Amino acid sequence: MNWHKRLTQAREEKGIKKSAFAKLVGVSPPTVTDWENGETKMIEGANLVKVCSALGISPEWLLDGVTSITDLVPDSMRVVLADGLQKNYYDIPLVTLRLQAGITGFQTDVDSSEGSSIPIPKFWADRRAYNPNRLLAIKVKGQSMEPTLFEDDIVFINLDDKAPADNAVFAVNYDGEAVVKRMSRDAGQWWLMSDNSDQRKYYRRACRGAECIVIGRIVRRESENF
């Protein structure tokens, strides 16, 4: 049984209709249908926490079929304790960046619009050898990276990965402004590129010198756009 079928099984055993479940989790009913039909590769981040909390199941059981808590009664639903959830996630600060032109360092302010932190699965970060203390979450501003990233999508920055890489997405201090852009190598020069097809409005910018300082690589996103 894959995770899609386990999700359906858990929801049905709870007697929750798709529409009611979607409302509990904070997504649209078609999203739940995509999850259960296998149209989505994985549920991650905040959605995973909400799904497991609503159904009283563990992330390990949903994603991998691993039972972390012994069932006391045959066919009963698995129980998830709050402390258990905390052990399975890293809380990554959700911040806004305060930058200065030409200055490598930066300061942060807590962004309380979504809460002060965003949980990410420990197994996801550990498998990639990311140091959770070197990860930050920020909100995307503007439309320059659509359709890859939309305004108010949450992206995670790995502060330990600043080396430019062709076609990778980075958070950059561009002349004192925090921008999220794709890097491109052309004719021996690094450029900041936008994914938006309107290249006249969102034209590429040269990334060189003190006006373009890499903050870190974007390694994950949380989006409500499907």
Side-chain angles (χ1 to χ4, degrees), residues 7 11 34 37 41 104 147 156 159 176 186 201 213-214 223:
L7 176 61
R11 179 182 59 76
D34 287 345
N37 288 346
K41 291 183 179 180
T104 300
F156 294 81
L159 300 176
D186 183 29
K201 181 177 181 180
I213 301 171
V214 176
S223 176

Side-chain angles (χ1 to χ4, degrees), residues 32-43:
V32 175
T33 299
D34 287 345
W35 288 346
E36 296 189 358
N37 288 346
E39 298 296 327
T40 303
K41 291 183 179 180
M42 188 71 69
I43 302 178

